[in-house]
Amino acid sequence: GWVFKGWVEKDFINSAKGRGLILNRKGCTAKKGTVLMQCDPYVAVQDQEQEDNPESQVSLPVPEGWSSVQVKHFASLTYQLESAIIERARKKQKKDITSLFLTMRMLVRLLIYRFLGAKDSGKFISLKDLHSHWYDLPYERVSFYAQMATLIKEIVGSTICPDTKECAMLLGMLQCNALSVPSTVDLSPMGMGVYLDLCLINHDANPNALVVFHNWTATLTAIRDIQPGEEITIDYITSPLTRAERCKTLESEFFLNRTDAIEAEKDGPNASEEDIKQLHKMEADIRKKSGRHELPYLELKCTKRG
């Protein structure tokens, strides 16, 4: 990531949130509108429906200095393995696992990346800094991730994926932390990506910062004055939802337990049914009028599912 004027630093927030980002204690107040950080994804995958959209193209994470032949071989191998895993997963699982497909593809890329000895493999290790809530997950979800990890290991082999438990935990971590990246053309999701520092930011129903995506580059901006040492937060949920629905989303999509979700949302927004209808109508109007002409630079908060 590119941190402007040293605005941001990592810190341990508390046992529930784990690590997070705070405003540099030795700096000054970040005024409303201050750009705190810009970053590109460490690993990302585009939505299958966006594969023909030039805007949504995203590079594979490959080491610097690789020749075009090496990059082409890596891309070919990655695509073959991703396709095989998704096809096998569809056959083995009766329930809908569409939401996990992009996450599984990201994991395959990371495992191959590590195996091929990327020079910056330390970034792979830093993924473990992200909070996965693994030990708070219900048994059914842990078992499901373990099944998917076993499937990945069967296809890529034990050399690339030596530890099934680690693979399952990484899958859960990616599912919890990966961000959905919206198109600046029609707001549809382009795909998902993991942003190493950005993904450390914790949720708040009344946040002090906002993430805006332009193509795959994310920009973190203060939406009110932030004091030195203050935690930087964003709202994980951008869809218009009632408070009960917001809590449920935090539980299912971001792995917060019910107590923490309720606490996080006690003073948060609570959309009425009429509000939701109006916002959905506005969104539909934007999509209808936009066609394939780029809209003005829209401010969109981080979302997990578009």
Side-chain angles (χ1 to χ4, degrees), residues 2-10 22-28 30 34-37 228-229 232:
W2 312 298
V3 179
F4 294 90
K5 300 180 182 178
W7 283 116
V8 175
E9 63 178 276
K10 300 176 185 178
I22 64 171
L23 197 69
N24 194 328
R25 292 188 178 90
K26 297 180 181 180
C28 57
T34 300
V35 175
L36 305 174
M37 177 194 299
I232 298 169

Short mmCIF file of all heavy atoms in Angstrom, two decimals, residues 2-10 22-28 30 34-37 228-229 232:
data_model
loop_
_atom_site.label_atom_id
_atom_site.label_comp_id
_atom_site.label_asym_id
_atom_site.label_seq_id
_atom_site.Cartn_x
_atom_site.Cartn_y
_atom_site.Cartn_z
N TRP A 2 0.29 2.35 -0.43
CA TRP A 2 0.99 3.62 -0.41
C TRP A 2 0.36 4.47 0.69
O TRP A 2 -0.77 4.91 0.58
CB TRP A 2 0.87 4.32 -1.76
CG TRP A 2 1.18 3.41 -2.90
CD1 TRP A 2 2.37 2.77 -3.13
CD2 TRP A 2 0.31 2.99 -3.92
NE1 TRP A 2 2.29 1.99 -4.26
CE2 TRP A 2 1.03 2.11 -4.78
CE3 TRP A 2 -1.01 3.27 -4.25
CZ2 TRP A 2 0.47 1.52 -5.90
CZ3 TRP A 2 -1.56 2.68 -5.37
CH2 TRP A 2 -0.84 1.81 -6.18
N VAL A 3 1.08 4.68 1.78
CA VAL A 3 0.56 5.45 2.90
C VAL A 3 1.03 6.88 2.76
O VAL A 3 2.23 7.14 2.63
CB VAL A 3 1.05 4.86 4.24
CG1 VAL A 3 0.52 5.69 5.39
CG2 VAL A 3 0.60 3.41 4.37
N PHE A 4 0.13 7.85 2.77
CA PHE A 4 0.47 9.24 2.54
C PHE A 4 0.88 9.91 3.84
O PHE A 4 0.16 9.88 4.84
CB PHE A 4 -0.72 9.97 1.92
CG PHE A 4 -1.04 9.48 0.53
CD1 PHE A 4 -1.94 8.46 0.34
CD2 PHE A 4 -0.43 10.03 -0.57
CE1 PHE A 4 -2.24 8.00 -0.94
CE2 PHE A 4 -0.71 9.59 -1.86
CZ PHE A 4 -1.62 8.57 -2.03
N LYS A 5 2.08 10.52 3.83
CA LYS A 5 2.58 11.30 4.97
C LYS A 5 2.63 10.50 6.26
O LYS A 5 2.54 11.06 7.35
CB LYS A 5 1.72 12.56 5.17
CG LYS A 5 1.69 13.49 3.96
CD LYS A 5 0.81 14.70 4.24
CE LYS A 5 0.73 15.61 3.01
NZ LYS A 5 -0.16 16.78 3.24
N GLY A 6 2.74 9.17 6.15
CA GLY A 6 2.82 8.34 7.35
C GLY A 6 1.58 8.40 8.22
O GLY A 6 1.66 8.36 9.44
N TRP A 7 0.41 8.49 7.58
CA TRP A 7 -0.82 8.66 8.35
C TRP A 7 -1.18 7.43 9.19
O TRP A 7 -1.76 7.55 10.27
CB TRP A 7 -1.98 8.94 7.39
CG TRP A 7 -2.04 10.33 6.84
CD1 TRP A 7 -1.91 10.70 5.54
CD2 TRP A 7 -2.27 11.55 7.57
NE1 TRP A 7 -2.04 12.06 5.41
CE2 TRP A 7 -2.26 12.61 6.64
CE3 TRP A 7 -2.48 11.84 8.92
CZ2 TRP A 7 -2.45 13.93 7.02
CZ3 TRP A 7 -2.67 13.16 9.28
CH2 TRP A 7 -2.66 14.19 8.35
N VAL A 8 -0.87 6.26 8.69
CA VAL A 8 -1.44 5.04 9.26
C VAL A 8 -0.37 4.15 9.88
O VAL A 8 0.74 4.05 9.39
CB VAL A 8 -2.18 4.25 8.16
CG1 VAL A 8 -2.68 2.91 8.67
CG2 VAL A 8 -3.35 5.07 7.63
N GLU A 9 -0.72 3.47 10.99
CA GLU A 9 0.15 2.44 11.57
C GLU A 9 -0.71 1.29 12.09
O GLU A 9 -1.89 1.47 12.41
CB GLU A 9 1.02 3.01 12.69
CG GLU A 9 0.26 3.53 13.91
CD GLU A 9 1.21 4.03 15.00
OE1 GLU A 9 1.67 3.18 15.79
OE2 GLU A 9 1.46 5.24 15.05
N LYS A 10 -0.11 0.12 12.16
CA LYS A 10 -0.81 -1.06 12.65
C LYS A 10 -0.73 -1.10 14.18
O LYS A 10 0.24 -0.66 14.77
CB LYS A 10 -0.19 -2.34 12.08
CG LYS A 10 -0.23 -2.42 10.56
CD LYS A 10 0.49 -3.67 10.08
CE LYS A 10 0.57 -3.71 8.56
NZ LYS A 10 1.30 -4.89 8.07
N ILE A 22 -4.56 2.37 13.07
CA ILE A 22 -4.82 3.59 13.81
C ILE A 22 -4.12 4.75 13.11
O ILE A 22 -3.23 4.54 12.29
CB ILE A 22 -4.34 3.51 15.27
CG1 ILE A 22 -2.81 3.36 15.32
CG2 ILE A 22 -5.02 2.37 16.02
CD1 ILE A 22 -2.22 3.49 16.73
N LEU A 23 -4.54 5.95 13.44
CA LEU A 23 -3.85 7.12 12.91
C LEU A 23 -2.53 7.27 13.68
O LEU A 23 -2.50 7.13 14.90
CB LEU A 23 -4.70 8.37 13.07
CG LEU A 23 -4.26 9.56 12.21
CD1 LEU A 23 -4.53 9.26 10.73
CD2 LEU A 23 -4.99 10.83 12.62
N ASN A 24 -1.47 7.53 12.96
CA ASN A 24 -0.13 7.64 13.54
C ASN A 24 -0.14 8.51 14.80
O ASN A 24 -0.56 9.66 14.78
CB ASN A 24 0.83 8.23 12.51
CG ASN A 24 2.28 8.07 12.91
OD1 ASN A 24 2.62 8.07 14.08
ND2 ASN A 24 3.14 7.93 11.92
N ARG A 25 0.31 7.92 15.92
CA ARG A 25 0.31 8.63 17.20
C ARG A 25 1.21 9.86 17.19
O ARG A 25 0.99 10.81 17.93
CB ARG A 25 0.76 7.69 18.33
CG ARG A 25 -0.22 6.57 18.64
CD ARG A 25 0.22 5.83 19.89
NE ARG A 25 -0.70 4.78 20.26
CZ ARG A 25 -0.62 3.53 19.84
NH1 ARG A 25 0.35 3.18 19.00
NH2 ARG A 25 -1.49 2.62 20.25
N LYS A 26 2.27 9.82 16.37
CA LYS A 26 3.23 10.93 16.35
C LYS A 26 2.86 11.98 15.30
O LYS A 26 3.58 12.97 15.14
CB LYS A 26 4.63 10.39 16.05
CG LYS A 26 5.15 9.43 17.11
CD LYS A 26 6.54 8.92 16.76
CE LYS A 26 7.05 7.95 17.82
NZ LYS A 26 8.40 7.44 17.49
N GLY A 27 1.75 11.76 14.60
CA GLY A 27 1.35 12.68 13.55
C GLY A 27 0.39 13.74 14.06
O GLY A 27 0.27 14.01 15.26
N CYS A 28 -0.35 14.32 13.14
CA CYS A 28 -1.33 15.35 13.46
C CYS A 28 -2.72 14.86 13.11
O CYS A 28 -2.89 13.77 12.55
CB CYS A 28 -1.00 16.65 12.72
SG CYS A 28 -0.93 16.47 10.92
N ALA A 30 -5.95 14.10 11.20
CA ALA A 30 -6.31 13.93 9.78
C ALA A 30 -7.66 14.59 9.57
O ALA A 30 -8.67 14.16 10.12
CB ALA A 30 -6.36 12.46 9.41
N THR A 34 -9.02 13.88 4.03
CA THR A 34 -7.62 13.51 3.89
C THR A 34 -7.49 12.11 3.32
O THR A 34 -8.14 11.17 3.79
CB THR A 34 -6.89 13.56 5.25
OG1 THR A 34 -6.96 14.88 5.77
CG2 THR A 34 -5.43 13.13 5.11
N VAL A 35 -6.67 11.94 2.29
CA VAL A 35 -6.39 10.61 1.75
C VAL A 35 -5.32 9.97 2.63
O VAL A 35 -4.20 10.47 2.74
CB VAL A 35 -5.90 10.69 0.29
CG1 VAL A 35 -5.49 9.31 -0.21
CG2 VAL A 35 -7.00 11.26 -0.60
N LEU A 36 -5.67 8.88 3.26
CA LEU A 36 -4.78 8.21 4.21
C LEU A 36 -3.93 7.14 3.56
O LEU A 36 -2.81 6.88 3.99
CB LEU A 36 -5.60 7.59 5.34
CG LEU A 36 -6.54 8.53 6.10
CD1 LEU A 36 -7.38 7.74 7.09
CD2 LEU A 36 -5.74 9.61 6.83
N MET A 37 -4.46 6.48 2.55
CA MET A 37 -3.76 5.34 1.96
C MET A 37 -4.34 5.02 0.59
O MET A 37 -5.53 5.21 0.36
CB MET A 37 -3.91 4.11 2.88
CG MET A 37 -3.28 2.83 2.36
SD MET A 37 -3.83 1.35 3.27
CE MET A 37 -3.27 1.73 4.91
N PRO A 228 -4.82 11.66 16.37
CA PRO A 228 -3.68 10.74 16.48
C PRO A 228 -3.96 9.64 17.49
O PRO A 228 -4.46 9.90 18.59
CB PRO A 228 -2.54 11.66 16.96
CG PRO A 228 -2.92 13.01 16.44
CD PRO A 228 -4.41 13.07 16.54
N GLY A 229 -3.68 8.39 17.13
CA GLY A 229 -3.92 7.26 18.01
C GLY A 229 -5.32 6.69 17.92
O GLY A 229 -5.60 5.62 18.47
N ILE A 232 -8.87 3.65 13.02
CA ILE A 232 -9.51 3.94 11.74
C ILE A 232 -10.51 2.82 11.46
O ILE A 232 -10.18 1.64 11.53
CB ILE A 232 -8.47 4.02 10.61
CG1 ILE A 232 -7.49 5.18 10.88
CG2 ILE A 232 -9.14 4.21 9.26
CD1 ILE A 232 -6.30 5.18 9.97
#
